[in-house]
Amino acid sequence: MSCCECKGTEDTGQGSILYSILNRGARCPQGRAETPAAHQLCPCASKRKLVAIRAPQLVFKAASEVLVKTFRFVKNVPCFRGLPAEDQLRLVRNSWAPLLVLGLVQDSVDFDTVETQQPSLLHRILTHDKERQQRSAAEIQDPGVPVGDVEGIKMFLVKCRGLRISVKEYAFLKGAILFTSATELECRDYIQALQREAERALYEHVRTVYRGNAGRFGKLRVVLNTLRSMDREAVAGLFFRPVTGRSSIDEHVLAMFFER
């Protein structure tokens, strides 16, 4: 069975790694170079290729500072302070990742990545890589982040910076993200109303300030929807896990939330 999730027209056996290696000579007549198509990656390659932050300690520090700064803003929102403690913690757990990414845009934090170097599945099978098996569980569990997720985050940062989002727009966006409702909230209806109010305030601000730019609110809505669909595990794996390892991301985030 092939490890690839893509569904092609070729036979499953012919799509395997071992089959491709053993039959490479048969497919490429002697003296003829392989065409670029022979090396073309399948559509799910972006899920298999992993990358990591090039300077994890520096980026970890920058991301942590951004999140602490964002939490200070959050704790100064009167409507948030008035919520039950459990609802506050649930909202923080639910929204920290998109809030962090938005904060990276606002504070102009950049980062570079490098592809992680790991033995392939075939290499481990053929060489019985015992050293690999003896590595710590943290190394095996967190080898990197899928390159597709990282490219999506980077592209999002670039597009947002091109919008030149104002301080007030950042505030309204943060409010709309923070008050994104979840089923287990005690004050769910009230929090949903706060979310709608934040979005309405954003709309009124854009309508007043950007009278000649009817499409700006639509672009900011796209920003908001993209942030809400942000993969929390990808954000954690990219910015925090290279330093925190196997420790709980929730505990790390809440420690920053309670920091004074």
Side-chain angles (χ1 to χ4, degrees):
M1 181 177 178
S2 172
C3 65
C4 179
E5 297 178 358
C6 300
K7 295 182 180 180
T9 57
E10 294 184 346
D11 179 72
T12 305
Q14 292 183 356
S16 68
I17 299 174
L18 188 57
Y19 181 93
S20 299
I21 293 176
L22 295 179
N23 290 274
R24 184 173 296 171
R27 292 186 179 184
C28 300
Q30 193 172 13
R32 182 183 300 177
E34 291 184 12
T35 62
H39 295 286
Q40 186 176 1
L41 295 175
C42 67
C44 67
S46 62
K47 298 180 182 179
R48 297 198 307 266
K49 184 179 178 182
L50 303 177
V51 296
I53 292 288
R54 187 182 296 275
Q57 294 287 349
L58 292 177
V59 175
F60 171 83
K61 180 181 179 182
S64 297
E65 289 174 351
V66 167
L67 203 50
V68 168
K69 178 181 176 180
T70 300
F71 285 153
R72 286 175 185 158
F73 166 83
V74 166
K75 288 185 286 188
N76 283 325
V77 176
C79 297
F80 179 82
R81 292 204 308 265
L83 292 172
E86 286 301 316
D87 277 0
Q88 290 184 18
L89 296 183
R90 289 189 183 105
L91 289 176
V92 168
R93 290 191 183 100
N94 190 48
S95 64
W96 72 262
L99 285 174
L100 170 59
V101 175
L102 185 61
L104 295 177
V105 178
Q106 187 173 15
D107 289 0
S108 300
V109 176
D110 289 313
F111 60 91
D112 293 319
T113 57
V114 59
E115 185 176 353
T116 56
Q117 300 296 326
Q118 296 183 74
S120 65
L121 175 61
L122 182 60
H123 179 272
R124 296 199 300 270
I125 293 173
L126 296 180
T127 61
H128 303 285
D129 191 357
K130 294 182 180 180
E131 181 182 353
R132 171 71 176 176
Q133 297 174 4
Q134 293 172 355
R135 291 181 184 176
S136 66
E139 289 178 292
I140 297 174
Q141 184 177 355
D142 184 41
V145 179
V147 66
D149 292 336
V150 177
E151 288 177 348
I153 292 174
K154 282 190 168 186
M155 187 179 300
F156 176 77
L157 296 180
V158 171
K159 288 184 176 180
C160 283
R161 286 165 187 160
L163 288 175
R164 299 183 181 275
I165 300 173
S166 69
V167 174
K168 282 192 175 182
E169 288 168 339
Y170 274 119
F172 295 139
L173 287 170
K174 289 175 184 177
I177 294 166
L178 174 65
F179 294 120
T180 298
S181 181
T183 56
E184 67 274 14
L185 292 169
E186 180 180 341
C187 301
R188 183 184 178 189
D189 292 342
Y190 176 59
I191 291 171
Q192 286 179 335
L194 292 176
Q195 176 188 333
R196 291 192 296 269
E197 182 61 29
E199 293 182 11
R200 187 181 303 112
L202 176 63
Y203 170 76
E204 292 296 337
H205 170 77
V206 172
R207 187 174 65 87
T208 302
V209 176
Y210 300 93
R211 296 178 182 274
N213 191 349
R216 183 167 182 83
F217 180 72
K219 293 177 181 178
L220 292 176
R221 283 287 303 178
V222 171
V223 169
L224 194 55
N225 291 335
T226 303
L227 286 167
R228 284 175 175 156
S229 63
M230 198 70 64
D231 187 339
R232 184 170 64 175
E233 285 304 313
V235 175
L238 186 62
F239 297 108
F240 293 139
R241 289 204 186 280
V243 175
T244 62
R246 299 179 64 191
S247 62
S248 169
I249 293 297
D250 272 354
E251 290 181 5
H252 177 68
V253 168
L254 291 180
M256 288 188 286
F257 175 71
F258 288 115
E259 182 177 321
R260 295 186 180 276

